[in-house]
Amino acid sequence: MELRADCLCKTYDGQTVLKDISFSVQNGETLAIVGRSGCGKTTLLRILAGLLAPDRGMVWLDGQPAGLPGKERLMVFQSFDQLFPWLTLRGNIRYALQKTRPTLGAKGIHRLTERCLAQMELGDAGGKYPYQLSGGMKQRGALARAMAISPKVLLLDEPFSSLDALTRENVLQAFQTLKQATDAAVVLVTHDLEEAVSNASQIALLHPAAGGTLTLFDNRGVDRVSQLKRLLAD
Amino acid sequence: MKQSRIIDAFYHKRWVSRLFFFGLLLALWESLAVFGGISPLLLPRVGSVLTAFVKGFQNGTLLSQTVFSLGIILLGLAISAVLALLLSVAAQLSLFCDRAVDALTVLSHPLPGIALLPLIVIWFGTGAPAVLAVIVHACLWSLLMNLQSGMRDAPPMYTDLGRIFSMSKLRIVLEILLPAAFSQSLAGMRIGWGRAWRALISAEMVFGAIGANGGLGWYLFKQRAMMNTAGLFAGIVLITAIGMVVEGLLFDKLEKATLRKWNAQGLKEAQ
């Protein structure tokens, strides 16, 4: 499984946000996209998810044009409120499964829902509505839903920001569980360099000053945090 | 200790303060009726109103008029709800429909139902369809506006999730945007109910009896014609009581139960 971005370009109101962005991510790998706020990270992620059309360039999935959004490329959002508030946590996961994996049948959906809830340590919270959950539990709930859908590509839009340090650690653990369970190609957008370095095999720095270009780094054996900090400061 | 508890309840429990002021109003009313030198034809005693109220229910008049009014308003609300639903779904599915619904709402919402009465009489006569038309006009636009604004205000990621789940546009509207707009449509229904209730009573007074019944508005009209002021007050009290029960009990409870799920902030504001 390979996700490939090929010369993606996007312009808003005459201002170039993304310029010739190219990279590829294999299954099991994580690419972290870092950059300052408003540099186009979320725009890039939405293009990868198929939710936004690029002005130029293509997104490829296993050598095929990725096309419309679908369960193969699942996006996990930054907001705590990405679970539907009128459904319980269990209901949210079941609903997603009914829509994306209907062939599982009622029993299969039930079993998978319970398994994902248990793996995210949310077994006791399944019957609760989102308003009854803490921010960290909601994010883990969103990750449990992603785990149940089992996408080929996981697109994470700063899912750990706005969490306190302890909860973040908890959710990061849940993220590792999700990665292992799905073996998906992961694109993680973050503004936290430490988080990028400790979770990704590749790091991409998005430069708004250079007209939305991307610099790729292999994240092995070098002090990338200091290097990235210097580059971001420039 | 006991005194401070009563004061605390007065300031913190709305029903206690309301009960107190209702009692005060009744006492003022009774004092004026007894000592104010006002003719009972203008201001009957509280006891006379109570007697007229009980008599009205005993002889079945008030009950049948209440059932009639409530039946017709429920039908009107149901028609408005279906129309609002169809129009807002259409508006979500097509930009052309959205613009058409927007133009229709902007034109119709500010128009008071009473201004339409002469036209409604010409078009529908003075029967039940005319009253229904008034109710639907009174309620539809606020319901439609709230439903649409609820759908528009739904977080964009809900629609994104629908697209990721490969749902059709219609399914996204029906299964995601509609539930997302529920709390706002409930608020619209509440406003609609208030407007429709007032419009219904006015329309019943203007259109008069429809068959054997004419509703509570017609009941009021008849009491005035017969100079039965106590009966008139009994009707007014009943209309107020129904309004309070529906607003205070039904909608309040529904809103608290649903806003709690939909958004906690909304619940705080509602409280």
Side-chain angles (χ1 to χ4, degrees), chain B residues 17-71:
Chain B
S17 57
R18 279 180 186 173
L19 214 62
F20 171 78
F21 284 111
F22 290 162
L24 198 68
L25 189 69
L26 282 180
L28 193 69
W29 177 349
E30 185 68 5
S31 312
L32 270 175
V34 176
F35 307 112
I38 301 170
S39 160
L41 277 178
L42 297 178
L43 190 71
R45 291 184 64 174
V46 174
S48 311
V49 175
L50 195 67
T51 310
F53 193 81
V54 173
K55 260 192 193 164
F57 270 101
Q58 271 173 347
N59 64 27
T61 322
L62 269 178
L63 185 67
S64 67
Q65 306 294 18
T66 304
V67 168
F68 179 83
S69 289
L70 285 179

Side-chain angles (χ1 to χ4, degrees), chain A residues 36 193 205 223-234:
Chain A
R36 291 180 172 218
L193 300 179
L205 179 65
D223 181 10
R224 288 283 177 221
V225 177
S226 317
Q227 188 185 3
L228 287 166
K229 269 184 187 163
R230 271 199 309 278
L231 285 166
L232 273 171
D234 288 344

Side-chain angles (χ1 to χ4, degrees), chain B:
Chain B
M1 185 69 183
K2 197 177 175 187
Q3 196 183 1
S4 76
R5 230 186 296 158
I6 292 170
I7 292 170
D8 195 51
F10 179 84
Y11 285 113
H12 292 98
K13 289 187 175 152
R14 234 172 239 284
W15 68 268
V16 176
S17 57
R18 279 180 186 173
L19 214 62
F20 171 78
F21 284 111
F22 290 162
L24 198 68
L25 189 69
L26 282 180
L28 193 69
W29 177 349
E30 185 68 5
S31 312
L32 270 175
V34 176
F35 307 112
I38 301 170
S39 160
L41 277 178
L42 297 178
L43 190 71
R45 291 184 64 174
V46 174
S48 311
V49 175
L50 195 67
T51 310
F53 193 81
V54 173
K55 260 192 193 164
F57 270 101
Q58 271 173 347
N59 64 27
T61 322
L62 269 178
L63 185 67
S64 67
Q65 306 294 18
T66 304
V67 168
F68 179 83
S69 289
L70 285 179
I72 207 159
I73 201 172
L74 282 178
L75 184 61
L77 286 173
I79 293 172
S80 307
V82 171
L83 283 176
L85 190 69
L86 290 175
L87 288 171
S88 33
V89 169
Q92 285 294 325
L93 294 177
S94 131
L95 194 60
F96 178 80
C97 289
D98 177 66
R99 296 299 184 261
V101 168
D102 172 66
L104 202 62
T105 313
V106 166
L107 275 178
S108 310
H109 188 247
L111 188 64
I114 209 87
L116 281 177
L117 285 183
L119 191 63
I120 286 172
V121 171
I122 293 170
W123 283 354
F124 299 101
T126 55
V131 180
L132 268 179
V134 173
I135 294 172
V136 169
H137 171 75
C139 166
L140 173 64
W141 309 111
S142 57
L143 187 53
L144 182 62
M145 282 168 77
N146 274 267
L147 198 52
Q148 282 200 284
S149 117
M151 287 190 185
R152 265 195 302 267
D153 293 348
M157 65 190 159
Y158 289 178
T159 311
D160 289 345
L161 280 168
R163 292 174 67 197
I164 288 168
F165 295 168
S166 302
M167 292 163 73
S168 68
K169 216 172 167 183
L170 181 63
R171 280 203 175 276
I172 290 176
V173 173
L174 294 178
E175 294 182 29
I176 295 179
L177 293 184
L178 258 183
F182 182 76
S183 59
Q184 287 210 39
S185 36
L186 194 65
M189 191 57 114
R190 187 179 192 148
I191 298 167
W193 150 264
R195 291 182 60 166
W197 186 232
R198 285 189 283 275
L200 170 75
I201 302 299
S202 321
E204 284 174 345
M205 280 192 210
V206 172
F207 295 147
I210 303 158
N213 285 309
L216 286 168
W218 179 239
Y219 176 85
L220 291 188
F221 190 79
K222 274 198 306 187
Q223 303 312 306
R224 187 205 58 84
M226 292 186 291
M227 284 308 285
N228 179 7
T229 323
L232 187 60
F233 270 109
I236 291 172
V237 167
L238 183 59
I239 289 167
T240 312
I242 293 172
M244 278 167 59
V245 166
V246 174
E247 286 257 347
L249 291 182
L250 185 74
F251 281 112
D252 263 6
K253 293 253 180 284
L254 254 174
E255 259 183 15
K256 276 180 190 165
T258 50
L259 278 181
R260 182 184 282 263
K261 274 188 206 168
W262 264 245
N263 80 61
Q265 191 55 40
L267 178 71
K268 275 182 209 149
E269 281 161 15
Q271 281 170 338

